[in-house]
Each structure stands twice: as structure tokens, then as C-alpha cells.
Amino acid sequence: MEEQQKNELKMWLVFYLCKGLGPKKLDLLKQHTELTHLLTFSEAQLASLGLSSDIIKQLLHPNWYYIDTLIDYLSQNAITAIYYSHPCYPSQLKEISAAPLILFCKGNIDLLCKSQIAVVGSRSATPNGIEIASEFASAMSHQGIVVTSGLAGGIDAAAHKGALAVSGETIAVVGTGVDVIYPKKNRLLFEQLLSSGLIVSELLPGTKAHASHFPRRNRIIAGLSLGVLVVEAEIKSGSLITARYAIEQNREVFAVPGSLFNPYSHGCHYLIKQGAKLTETLDDIFEELGLLVKNGLYNKVEVDNLEQVDPVLTQLGYEATSVDVLAERTQIPVEQLLTRLLDLELANQVERVLGGYIKLRSY
């Protein structure tokens, strides 16, 4: 990192760590002085700008040792800090209220400024919901759209996997530090995202999961995206919080209808009643956003060699089957079976659940 970049990052880390100093206040301060001057001004000069005594104290006495240590950690762990004035900071995100001052990123930061659509939904989604989310994500990827979600279980994971399965691009906005894998069951997906996508958080590296982090995370998911697609959600759920943020941020909201007997459809039906676009195909989304569909490219992606009977898929059903039972049924050595299951999971054909694996599609 060049010295000038490092000094600019240090300045923004001071602002980030200063409680009560957000982008709106900084924009106001820029009308009166250069932001770099805030770290050299005296107490009287800072007070003349209308800053509170608490903010003044923090600006006068930054913890430079901690900031230098943090910058070293970022460098050692391939974490990029995209601060508010950084050329890679998404202009779309600056439009929202309380935009994050810094985005900590691991992966391909070029994805930040590409066109994105968020796909969100229940952590306890049905196999049908998981398949729908996966297919929409794959279709979006074929159109060059980046699929953005939250790396949670259920719909979020299906959306990321659907994009990765067709070599698409996907962003995970997490409610932890970008170096913290949460939930643990998504370790494989986390690693895939690091090599083929991007993991983003406004939280400091090392930050553990906490309930209060996820609503904050949801506003970033909505803020990065042109629109939010909700696939299976309960009335009281984080997905509806994301949809609410999307509405507040003047983004489009799309909802997939479902069975009246499925409690995870109630949130989508509620959104549709409130004006969300009832969504059955990618055309519905692109029409609302004014995007053009590349003819014939977004149809359901067929899995290679579908005609060939896969013994693992043949022996898997929609109820969890353990690896031991599957090895006995298929007569495949466990080590080879685990490798095959990994391939199938990355192709979004099977899902690892409590008690083993389930098949996601009918073959």
C-alpha cells in the first residue's frame, strides 16, 4: 500500500472509530474545511465547526497504535478497506441514509460497482423455495447481474450457490467480520465466495455474530442492489426488514408467491399486497427495472450429463440421509463419496443439512 493511500485509510479509520461521526456530518464538515484538517485542528477550531465535546475528544486523541495494528491485520489477511471516498465505494450505496463509512472486503472488490440484485428469504426454507432461489440466481448470473445476499442458511445460501454453479458473480454481505465464518455450516460456501465472489461487512474484522448486526447488514444488501427479490419469508423476518429498507431507499421489491398452506409464503404475500411486484420469472424483474433480457440465455440451466444416472442422486431423497447410509447404499468409499457430495453441493443439486444430505431437485 502506498504511503498516501495508507494515510488516507488511517484518516477514515479515525472517522470510522469516532462515535457520532457519520457520512452526513462529514459531508456538512466538507463544506467548511478539508477533512484531513480535522486531525490537525485544535480543540477550539473543532468546536467552531459545531462538533460535540465527545467527538472533539475522539478526534484529538485517536488510538494510532490500534489503527496501525488494524491496517497491518488487514494487509496480512487480504482484507481491503473501501472507505467512503475510495473510487471503488459504490455510488448507489452513498444514496442511502446512514451509509457505512467503510466496507471491509475479502475477494473481488470490482463486483461492488456492478449491477446487483439481492435475493433473500427464510433460513428455514423449503426444498422448493431453495430451488426457486437457486434458479433465479443462476438466471440473473447468465444476464451478467451480480447476485447479492447475506450468507445465511436457506434462501441466502441457495442464491449464492445458484450463481456460483454457473460461474456467476455473487456478493455476501455478512453480519460479522469478513474473517468470521457464520454460520459454521457455510464454511465451504464461504471459501467458494473468497475465490469466486466477494464478502463484505461494515463491521471490524474479528467481530462475532450478534442479533443487532443483521438488521444493519440488511440495509447494505438493499442499498447495494437495484432491487430485492424475496423468496419465502415469514411476516416477522429479516427478509421483510431488507424489503422495508429497499422501499425506504427507493429500490424495487419483488416477491415470489407460494402456497397458502406454507407459512414461509405469508411474508411474500404481504409484500405483494403492499405493492411489491409479483414475480414468477426473470422477465418480471427485468421489465420492472427497465433491463433487457439476453434472448434465450436465462432459461433453466441443465446439469451436464443429466442423462447419465448418478448413483448418489439416485439414493438421495428429500429427507436427510447420513453419509454412512449413503455409502452403504451406493457402495462408494466414504472419501470418494464426500468428494462427490461436495461437487453436487457446489452444483446446487444437494444440500447439507442436520443429519446428512438432501436432494434439491428431481432427477
Side-chain angles (χ1 to χ4, degrees):
M1 183 184 297
E2 295 181 2
E3 194 64 28
Q4 183 178 351
Q5 288 179 314
K6 185 174 182 180
N7 289 335
E8 191 168 7
L9 174 56
K10 289 174 75 170
M11 177 187 74
W12 280 100
L13 284 170
V14 172
F15 297 157
Y16 172 89
L17 295 168
C18 183
K19 294 179 181 178
L21 194 61
K24 286 187 176 180
K25 191 177 290 293
L26 287 170
D27 283 339
L28 289 173
L29 290 171
K30 281 173 64 176
Q31 297 175 19
H32 303 284
T33 184
E34 293 290 332
L35 293 183
T36 52
H37 294 167
L38 295 177
L39 302 183
T40 60
F41 276 175
S42 66
E43 183 175 354
Q45 288 172 309
L46 291 173
S48 70
L49 295 172
L51 295 173
S52 69
S53 59
D54 187 47
I55 291 177
I56 291 172
K57 182 179 179 181
Q58 293 176 78
L59 290 176
L60 289 174
H61 305 288
N63 188 339
W64 293 116
Y65 174 78
Y66 174 76
I67 289 172
D68 286 335
T69 302
L70 177 57
I71 290 175
D72 288 342
Y73 183 86
L74 297 178
S75 176
Q76 292 164 10
N77 290 274
I79 299 171
T80 304
I82 305 296
Y83 43 84
Y84 198 72
S85 65
H86 194 288
C88 289
Y89 193 99
S91 57
Q92 183 127 320
L93 193 58
K94 289 184 178 180
E95 298 172 4
I96 74 171
S97 60
L101 282 182
I102 295 180
L103 295 173
F104 296 99
C105 304
K106 276 182 76 71
N108 182 5
I109 61 173
D110 292 337
L111 302 187
L112 280 174
C113 294
K114 292 190 176 184
S115 296
Q116 303 170 41
I117 295 176
V119 180
V120 299
S122 174
R123 287 177 170 83
S124 305
T126 65
N128 186 52
I130 287 172
E131 183 171 1
I132 289 170
S134 173
E135 292 298 343
F136 266 106
S138 295
M140 291 173 189
S141 295
H142 279 297
Q143 297 300 308
I145 296 292
V146 177
V147 176
T148 299
S149 196
L151 197 59
I155 297 300
D156 285 18
H160 293 306
K161 291 176 183 178
L164 292 171
V166 295
S167 301
E169 297 174 327
T170 181
I171 295 175
V173 184
V174 297
T176 63
V178 292
D179 54 346
V180 176
I181 300 174
Y182 180 84
K184 294 295 184 184
K185 68 177 182 179
N186 281 346
R187 175 178 293 276
L188 173 64
L189 180 56
F190 182 95
E191 292 169 354
Q192 279 293 112
L193 281 160
L194 288 182
S195 62
S196 306
L198 177 66
I199 299 174
V200 176
S201 177
E202 68 174 325
L203 301 169
L204 286 167
T207 303
K208 304 299 183 184
H210 188 274
S212 64
H213 297 163
F214 295 98
R216 293 171 56 189
R217 178 273 311 264
N218 293 345
R219 89 186 192 287
I220 298 176
I221 292 175
L224 286 170
S225 307
L226 298 172
V228 174
L229 174 66
V230 183
V231 183
E232 292 195 338
E234 295 178 287
I235 293 290
K236 294 182 178 180
S237 65
S239 301
L240 264 67
I241 293 175
T242 307
R244 189 191 74 211
Y245 278 124
I247 293 168
E248 292 174 354
Q249 297 164 7
N250 200 29
R251 308 293 195 258
E252 299 294 340
V253 177
F254 307 92
V256 177
S259 168
L260 296 176
F261 303 104
N262 178 6
Y264 300 119
S265 296
H266 296 171
C268 292
H269 294 167
Y270 171 80
L271 290 173
I272 292 168
K273 290 177 184 178
Q274 299 299 311
K277 175 84 170 183
L278 188 153
T279 304
E280 297 175 306
T281 68
L282 190 64
D283 280 327
D284 296 326
I285 297 175
F286 273 44
E287 179 184 0
E288 197 73 15
L289 294 175
L291 302 175
L292 295 176
V293 174
K294 300 173 187 175
N295 290 334
L297 291 181
Y298 75 95
N299 294 328
K300 181 175 178 179
V301 181
E302 299 296 337
V303 179
D304 292 339
N305 303 321
L306 201 60
E307 304 81 6
Q308 301 178 11
V309 177
D310 189 305
V312 177
L313 289 174
T314 302
Q315 296 301 326
L316 267 179
Y318 297 108
E319 294 184 358
T321 304
S322 71
V323 173
D324 289 340
V325 169
L326 202 53
E328 184 178 348
R329 290 178 181 175
T330 61
Q331 295 300 300
I332 298 175
V334 171
E335 185 174 344
Q336 294 179 26
L337 179 59
L338 289 171
T339 301
R340 180 58 186 150
L341 285 168
L342 175 59
D343 292 338
L344 292 171
E345 188 173 5
L346 291 176
N348 211 48
Q349 297 176 51
V350 305
E351 175 79 19
R352 182 167 51 182
V353 298
L354 185 65
Y357 288 81
I358 60 171
K359 182 164 63 175
L360 293 182
R361 305 175 184 175
S362 298
Y363 287 91

